[in-house]
Amino acid sequence: MRVINLGPDPSLAYRPEYPLQEGKDKSQFRNFESGDLFERVFNTYKLMHKHQTLDFVKQKHVEWAGCTHSRMTVMESIDRLDQLIDESDPDVDFPNSFHAFQTAEGIRREHPDKDWFQLVGLIHDIGKIMALWGEPQWAVVGDTYPVGCRFQNAIVFRDSTFVDNPDDKNSSLNTECGIYETHCGLDNVLMSWGHDEYLYQVMKFNKCPIPEEGLYMIRFHSFYPWHTHGNYMHLCNEKDLKMLPWVKEFNKFDLYTKSTDLPDVEQLKPYYQSLIDKYCPGVLSW
């Protein structure tokens, strides 16, 4: 059932500048109020916000952080995203593999000297492969947010989708800091489980030498309540604040390069394979 009076996504007022396609307006991105994909998107978030509890997230770390599910190359994982359409994304309805190359190429145009940044653009969503291994999409895709403390107002559909989440009624978890200390740092905060945290764990497990700025982009690029709306600053330390501009810079390309003008993936693959060989070579554990 469609929910009315949700109001526009607050990030409309805070979007970073990016040269958009001709005829494309920023208000057309991240529309959580209407559109052809609204029902699909809303239902995905409703399930996420019901089931993603502190205990659930802890269990997912046990299941996935050990990287025992498969072994494959990074390019193989990108190719498998041909099978995935992100059910939480109101902007696109085509396989996620195309978005990987769109993001990477946007970064390559503006940051030709930062090959690690381009690589992050390519791989940032490949943790979504969990959805091909049996995880429901509400535990893989979508915006992320901390669990173990009060759910803040900037979370998408905050007012209408948390009514069945037991943590929202738990007095010990429903305070501003919850189980955390003020300025404890995001490294010490458990986020709702999804592809961001999973890929971060994969990169760390396989000792891929991506700079810390890139690892932050991977781990927090879906944390819109933080990097776009300014929520959860009370949990941040100096390191988080130093990394925030990098995450914001990445967000420009992650969001505004989405287009039905799909890239020639086969033509681009040799260049990006060279970056994979430099930072994430060979067969990785997943």
Side-chain angles (χ1 to χ4, degrees):
M1 180 178 297
R2 179 164 178 172
V3 176
I4 59 174
N5 295 326
L6 295 173
D9 175 11
S11 67
L12 288 173
Y14 300 103
R15 299 191 193 287
E17 292 302 316
Y18 185 74
L20 304 178
Q21 284 186 291
E22 185 177 353
K24 190 82 168 179
D25 185 81
K26 290 183 179 183
S27 64
Q28 294 177 257
F29 292 90
R30 282 180 62 83
N31 178 2
F32 292 105
E33 195 175 20
S34 62
D36 294 340
L37 304 177
F38 178 88
E39 297 294 338
R40 184 190 77 181
V41 172
F42 178 76
N43 289 331
T44 301
Y45 276 103
K46 184 176 181 180
L47 289 169
M48 178 198 303
H49 295 166
K50 175 181 178 179
H51 295 294
Q52 291 254 12
T53 63
L54 177 61
D55 288 342
F56 175 85
V57 170
K58 288 180 177 179
Q59 180 58 39
K60 290 304 167 185
H61 275 268
V62 172
E63 292 179 19
W64 290 98
C67 299
T68 59
H69 289 263
S70 184
R71 286 181 57 78
M72 71 181 81
T73 67
V74 167
M75 193 61 79
E76 285 174 335
S77 72
I78 295 170
D79 288 341
R80 292 195 184 187
L81 292 185
D82 286 343
Q83 306 170 50
L84 180 71
I85 295 176
D86 186 333
E87 295 176 355
S88 72
D89 194 332
D91 296 320
V92 297
D93 200 27
F94 51 78
N96 220 234
S97 53
F98 289 104
H99 172 58
F101 286 95
Q102 287 175 332
T103 306
E105 282 293 279
I107 294 169
R108 185 180 177 188
R109 284 190 292 270
E110 281 203 30
H111 298 279
D113 59 326
K114 295 181 176 63
D115 60 355
W116 60 267
F117 195 179
Q118 300 162 28
L119 177 70
V120 168
L122 182 73
I123 69 174
H124 72 283
D125 275 349
I126 58 177
K128 293 179 183 179
I129 200 168
M130 287 189 293
L132 304 180
W133 294 335
E135 281 292 344
Q137 286 218 18
W138 56 261
V140 176
V141 301
D143 293 4
T144 59
Y145 49 88
V147 295
C149 62
R150 180 185 299 142
F151 302 122
Q152 298 290 314
N153 290 335
I155 299 173
V156 172
F157 303 126
R158 170 65 181 96
D159 291 339
S160 56
T161 53
F162 283 89
V163 291
D164 294 321
N165 187 311
D167 288 3
D168 198 36
K169 303 174 182 65
N170 186 327
S171 59
S172 66
L173 304 179
N174 202 13
T175 62
E176 187 174 50
C177 287
I179 64 172
Y180 310 111
E181 300 290 334
T182 303
H183 302 307
C184 62
L186 295 181
D187 283 336
N188 298 305
V189 171
L190 285 170
M191 303 294 295
S192 57
W193 183 255
H195 66 282
D196 298 44
E197 183 65 29
Y198 175 53
L199 182 60
Y200 170 78
Q201 295 293 339
V202 170
M203 294 294 102
K204 296 291 284 187
F205 186 90
N206 289 279
K207 297 180 171 59
C208 298
I210 295 173
E212 189 69 25
E213 295 86 350
L215 293 176
Y216 253 70
M217 294 171 187
I218 289 170
R219 196 176 196 183
F220 299 115
H221 69 270
S222 300
F223 190 9
Y224 275 83
W226 174 58
H227 65 64
T228 301
H229 307 321
N231 282 192
Y232 296 103
M233 288 298 179
H234 61 285
L235 298 178
C236 295
N237 59 18
E238 290 186 9
K239 177 183 177 182
D240 301 322
L241 298 180
K242 181 180 178 181
M243 293 296 166
L244 179 56
W246 285 100
V247 179
K248 285 178 174 288
E249 179 68 8
F250 175 81
N251 179 246
K252 294 192 306 188
F253 305 100
D254 184 19
L255 183 57
Y256 296 130
T257 57
K258 293 176 182 177
S259 166
T260 54
D261 182 14
L262 302 181
D264 185 340
V265 169
E266 293 305 314
Q267 184 180 33
L268 295 174
K269 274 186 176 180
Y271 174 75
Y272 286 102
Q273 185 61 57
S274 71
L275 304 189
I276 292 169
D277 292 341
K278 180 177 179 179
Y279 292 100
C280 310
V283 177
L284 304 186
S285 297
W286 295 81

